[in-house]
Amino acid sequence: MTLGNGALPLGSTIGILGGGQLGRMSAMAAQRLGYRTHIYSVEQDSPGAQVAAQVTYGAFDDLEAVARFAAQADVITFEFENIPGATLDFLATQPHCRPHVGAIQICQDRIAEKRWMEKSAVSVARWLEISSLVDIDAACESLGFPFVLKTTRMGYDGKGQAVARNREDAVAAFHALAPHPLIAEAFVPFEREVSVVLARGVGGELALYEPVENVHQHHILHQSIVPSRLSAEQKDVCLGYAARLAQALDFVGVMALEMFVLPDGGIVGNEIAPRPHNSGHWTMDACVCSQFDQHIRAVAGLPLGATERHFDVVMHNLVGQEGAEAWSGFVAAPNVVPHWYGKNDVRKGRKLGHANELWAMGTMR
């Protein structure tokens, strides 16, 4: 069925590169909106593969498999950004990648990402590109201790980084982390972490969710809390940062901007996620249109949905054995909506599901 205004016709196939929980929840949203999904998955019986109409299995650097996948999709989107360069180069030749490959390439490289933030007038922590031990000495001198060394690619949930408290730490981290160059960031004595999730449509229209406050444990998101403790002015800064980045990147789809709140009340940008984000899972039950609905609407060329919140909410991440053991309690709670990702292998640090604890507006304890 043709919808007009350039929207993807009902029954079309949305290809999702990645078979994890973000792909799963995006596929479920696509089904509600009248679309089929084709998941590209590295592993058998992945969360996304369990709910998709079609699945291609293959490594992310298997260009023949990726080409077969792309040929069977009317539009292609992404579940995560850590995709090999050659695969992105191939996808750049395909029509209707949303977001476009250039945005993914910027967000998967921390140096390019920092430069893009600065170009978009987003404040960031002081940083240096590190290619040699001479650069390490420069970082020790200009950033002071402690500072953080990170890989520019493939780092998430605390992986690919180390804190340097002295030169010996920095040198050891330089040799241990790969590939080079690395990035050195001044340590940010933040009071709390916040994020903004937004959607941008094919015509440049924006739909922003209010900023959320995030609590991490062992470098993995533990809770997202809405409403946040941000002032009205701070909220405006956060929303402005995210909106400017989305427009500057010419982004289509859902993206998130992670930020730090400083002791003086200032806000600095940390990382861009060019996809639905863990800190946006609360929208599934507290809003009419979730971040996954928004993502499918955006990549399909549909009008974006409402972002108003109808509940106060705490999103609980269910991680590892502790998360598995907490599941039954959340299922039994009368004000909680639980979401399980279909992963049967419980491992330390593995995200198994989440639970949205809902409260009437203004009553959350």
Side-chain angles (χ1 to χ4, degrees):
M1 181 187 298
T2 301
L3 299 178
N5 297 320
L8 201 64
L10 290 176
S12 299
T13 297
I14 298 175
I16 302 174
L17 198 70
Q21 64 265 19
L22 300 180
R24 176 190 182 93
M25 290 181 279
S26 295
M28 294 166 71
Q31 184 182 52
R32 288 194 301 274
L33 287 166
Y35 297 106
R36 297 168 59 86
T37 52
H38 184 168
I39 292 282
Y40 189 95
S41 178
V42 173
E43 57 184 342
Q44 300 285 325
D45 197 37
S46 65
Q50 293 172 10
V51 301
Q54 189 174 355
V55 185
T56 292
Y57 293 104
F60 287 116
D61 59 359
D62 184 343
L63 294 183
E64 291 187 4
V66 172
R68 290 197 304 272
F69 158 79
Q72 298 175 76
D74 296 297
V75 66
I76 297 169
T77 192
F78 304 87
E79 187 218 31
F80 78 128
E81 61 270 29
N82 289 327
I83 301 166
T87 301
L88 285 179
D89 289 341
F90 166 75
L91 290 172
T93 68
Q94 304 300 301
H96 305 311
C97 279
R98 294 173 177 169
H100 64 86
V101 168
I104 299 291
Q105 290 170 326
I106 289 169
C107 295
Q108 71 172 197
D109 184 300
R110 283 192 170 107
I111 292 173
E113 182 181 61
K114 292 293 186 190
R115 289 173 176 160
W116 204 264
M117 286 191 196
E118 291 175 330
K119 179 181 178 181
S120 303
V122 174
S123 296
V124 297
R126 291 179 297 127
W127 65 277
L128 291 173
E129 182 176 341
I130 305 295
S131 299
S132 67
L133 290 177
V134 173
D135 296 330
I136 288 288
D137 288 333
C140 294
E141 178 69 25
S142 65
L143 300 181
F145 297 109
F147 65 84
V148 183
L149 276 168
K150 300 179 180 180
T151 56
T152 57
R153 296 174 179 269
M154 305 300 286
Y156 62 97
D157 289 344
K159 298 177 177 67
Q161 60 182 270
V163 177
R165 293 179 172 82
N166 50 53
R167 186 181 184 278
E168 290 72 24
D169 285 350
V171 170
F174 176 80
H175 291 301
L177 296 174
H180 294 167
L182 307 175
I183 186 172
E185 295 179 352
F187 188 79
V188 178
F190 61 88
E191 287 191 337
R192 53 191 179 274
E193 298 178 60
V194 297
S195 60
V196 167
V197 173
L198 64 80
R200 184 175 182 271
V202 293
E205 64 276 21
L206 290 173
L208 293 95
Y209 294 97
E210 68 178 275
V212 301
E213 189 166 334
N214 299 315
V215 179
H216 288 76
Q217 288 186 352
H218 311 296
H219 301 288
I220 299 174
L221 184 64
H222 175 57
Q223 293 178 332
S224 291
I225 303 167
V226 193
S228 70
R229 291 174 289 174
L230 294 172
S231 68
E233 182 180 359
Q234 288 172 320
K235 289 180 181 179
D236 286 344
V237 171
C238 292
L239 293 169
Y241 280 176
R244 288 203 296 275
L245 280 168
Q247 297 287 26
L249 289 167
D250 193 23
F251 198 86
V252 174
V254 163
M255 60 167 272
L257 175 62
E258 301 174 2
M259 291 161 280
F260 295 130
V261 181
L262 304 180
D264 65 2
I267 309 287
V268 295
N270 181 33
E271 292 183 357
I272 308 167
R275 49 168 172 76
H277 193 253
N278 202 163
S279 71
H281 291 351
W282 65 273
T283 64
M284 296 177 72
D285 303 300
C287 302
V288 170
C289 191
S290 78
Q291 66 164 343
F292 299 103
D293 296 318
Q294 296 283 32
H295 187 65
I296 296 302
R297 284 171 173 267
V299 301
L302 297 174
L304 300 181
T307 59
E308 287 77 15
R309 176 172 56 87
H310 302 292
F311 295 95
D312 291 348
V313 57
V314 179
M315 188 284 296
H316 302 266
N317 239 4
L318 305 179
V319 179
Q321 187 61 41
E322 183 179 348
E325 293 171 355
W327 174 254
S328 60
F330 282 121
V331 170
N335 63 327
V336 171
V337 184
H339 299 265
W340 190 254
Y341 301 153
K343 300 177 183 179
N344 296 316
D345 185 12
V346 177
R347 299 195 303 266
K348 181 179 180 181
R350 194 177 201 201
K351 298 172 183 174
L352 303 175
H354 70 272
N356 286 327
E357 178 185 353
L358 304 176
W359 298 87
M361 300 279 278
T363 68
M364 185 168 65
R365 295 194 296 268

